[in-house]
Each structure stands twice: as structure tokens, then as C-alpha cells.
């Protein structure tokens, strides 16, 4: 494997979202997000530019991985929460599941989140993703409370849930020995106190 800019990192055995994402994160980490082009990523992944765009709509989407699928799973998880379960508990458990990192994936997830939270060129795109995530939370709360999804009481829970989640991520990234699940669990305790029923 050669690591000079623009040369092959080694063709993955099969092209997947994950293989492209892994190669791209390596390049972003090494060369910087703005300095890395779509052509650089395609070349390093051993695929064509056209193939890359079959998997990701833009370079900005690559660090987010399969975010849309994750959101659909989050919405499904919330929809299936027992109706007698407190709203805060359903949110707590679903958000922990949404952010669970597979064993061995912690370092790549740290690199991804440092990129997403610390790259100015990604902030506008990230704002759109955060809005979608908040919307899933707000719609769940609205359905449970019998109010409109744009009712401020539902909207504020979406913002609060995102805020405490980002606070947990910032703390996790600041401490190499921190456990993400523990940080999220502690941060979500604030949301639990806000929503206690």
C-alpha cells in the first residue's frame, strides 16, 4: 500500500458504504477535509467517481456514513417503545442505541466526530443533519403528548436532546479514556430530569 496523495490505498474486496467511508476518513485525517477531493477518495478506494456518487451524494455526506438509515432506525425504535413507558426513558434508551459504537470501532468514530464537530467547512451541512435528527425526536414527543410536531414543547425536547448528546460527545473527545456510552448516559440524565413524569 502506498500513502502518497492520490495513490492507491488498496482496492477494497468489495465496494460498500463502509469501505469508502473508511478510506475517506483516512484521507481527511491525513490531508485535511478541504484539501481532499472526491477524485482523491475514489482513487484511494479503487473506484470511479461515478461509483462513489452512487453511495454518497456529496463529499460532505461521507463523514456522516449511513446517517439516513440510522435515523430511520431511531424513528422505528421510538415508534415501537411501549406507550406506558415514560417519554424520557424511551428517548434515553433510543439515543443510547443510536450512538452505540461496535467493538473495535471506537477510534474511527472518534476521528469521525472530531471531523464533524471541528471542521468549519462541514458545519452548514451538519446543521441540516442535526435538524433531521431533532425532527425525529420532536415528532415522537408530539405523538406521545398529543401536540403538533412544531409545537414549542416538542421542538424544545429535540433541541435539548441534541444539546446533551453533543455535550457528551465533546467530553468524550476531550478524554481519551472516557467511555461514550457512560458520557451519554450521564448527559441524558439532564434530559430525564427535564422530562420526568
Amino acid at each position: 500500500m502506498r500513502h502518497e496523495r492520490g495513490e492507491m490505498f488498496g482496492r477494497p474486496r468489495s465496494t460498500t458504504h463502509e469501505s469508502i467511508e473508511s478510506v475517506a476518513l483516512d484521507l481527511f485525517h491525513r490531508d485535511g477535509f478541504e484539501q481532499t477531493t472526491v477524485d482523491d477518495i475514489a482513487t484511494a478506494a479503487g473506484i470511479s467517481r461515478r461509483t462513489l456518487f452512487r453511495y454518497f451524494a456529496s463529499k460532505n455526506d461521507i463523514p456522516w456514513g449511513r446517517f439516513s438509515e440510522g435515523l430511520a432506525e431511531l424513528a422505528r425504535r421510538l415508534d415501537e417503545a411501549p406507550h406506558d413507558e415514560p417519554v424520557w426513558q424511551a428517548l434515553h434508551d433510543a439515543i443510547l442505541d443510536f450512538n452505540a459504537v461496535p467493538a473495535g470501532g471506537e477510534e474511527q468514530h472518534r476521528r469521525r466526530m472530531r471531523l464533524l464537530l471541528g471542521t468549519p467547512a462541514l458545519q452548514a451541512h451538519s446543521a441540516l443533519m442535526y435538524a433531521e435528527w431533532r425532527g425525529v425526536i420532536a415528532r415522537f414527543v408530539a405523538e406521545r403528548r398529543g401536540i403538533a410536531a412544531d409545537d414549542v414543547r416538542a421542538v424544545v425536547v429535540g433541541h435539548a436532546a441534541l444539546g446533551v448528546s453533543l455535550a457528551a460527545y465533546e467530553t468524550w473527545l476531550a478524554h481519551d479514556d472516557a467511555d461514550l456510552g457512560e458520557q451519554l448516559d450521564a448527559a441524558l440524565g439532564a434530559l430525564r430530569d427535564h422530562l420526568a413524569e
Side-chain angles (χ1 to χ4, degrees):
M1 282 191 186
R2 283 178 260 170
H3 294 275
E4 286 76 21
R5 184 174 176 78
E7 296 191 19
M8 294 292 287
F9 270 52
R11 185 183 182 94
R13 290 182 183 172
S14 62
T15 302
T16 63
H17 284 87
E18 291 76 18
S19 64
I20 296 169
E21 181 186 338
S22 179
V23 166
L25 287 174
D26 285 343
L27 289 171
F28 297 152
H29 179 71
R30 190 190 73 193
D31 300 329
F33 179 79
E34 293 187 78
Q35 291 72 29
T36 301
T37 68
V38 168
D39 287 333
D40 292 334
I41 298 165
T43 298
I47 58 175
S48 69
R49 182 185 177 96
R50 177 179 292 183
T51 298
L52 187 149
F53 283 127
R54 288 191 194 122
Y55 289 85
F56 296 98
S58 72
K59 185 175 84 168
N60 288 352
D61 285 304
I62 297 174
W64 286 91
R66 302 176 92 166
F67 186 71
S68 294
E69 292 179 20
L71 277 187
E73 178 61 20
L74 176 63
R76 184 199 63 75
R77 176 90 158 60
L78 289 169
D79 287 344
E80 293 180 357
H83 279 265
D84 60 351
E85 183 176 50
V87 168
W88 70 263
Q89 186 68 63
L91 287 173
H92 188 111
D93 294 345
I95 291 170
L96 284 179
D97 281 354
F98 179 82
N99 288 284
V101 179
E106 293 84 357
E107 185 53 39
Q108 178 158 307
H109 196 50
R110 281 183 182 273
R111 289 167 62 187
R112 175 204 314 279
M113 294 310 299
R114 285 193 178 104
L115 183 70
L116 291 175
L117 295 177
T119 305
L122 279 168
Q123 296 316 298
H125 189 70
S126 294
L128 298 175
M129 299 301 202
Y130 294 148
E132 289 184 36
W133 191 91
R134 292 194 315 264
V136 169
I137 303 299
R139 285 189 292 275
F140 167 71
V141 173
E143 188 274 329
R144 285 299 184 91
R145 296 286 168 83
I147 56 179
D150 62 355
D151 186 299
V152 69
R153 292 169 292 175
V155 172
V156 77
V157 176
H159 279 271
L162 178 63
V164 299
S165 296
L166 289 176
Y169 267 101
E170 288 176 6
T171 303
W172 177 61
L173 291 174
H175 302 279
D176 289 340
D177 60 345
D179 180 83
L180 178 59
E182 291 176 3
Q183 297 301 316
L184 282 164
D185 187 58
L188 287 165
L191 187 61
R192 177 194 63 218
D193 294 341
H194 176 70
L195 293 171
E197 297 160 344

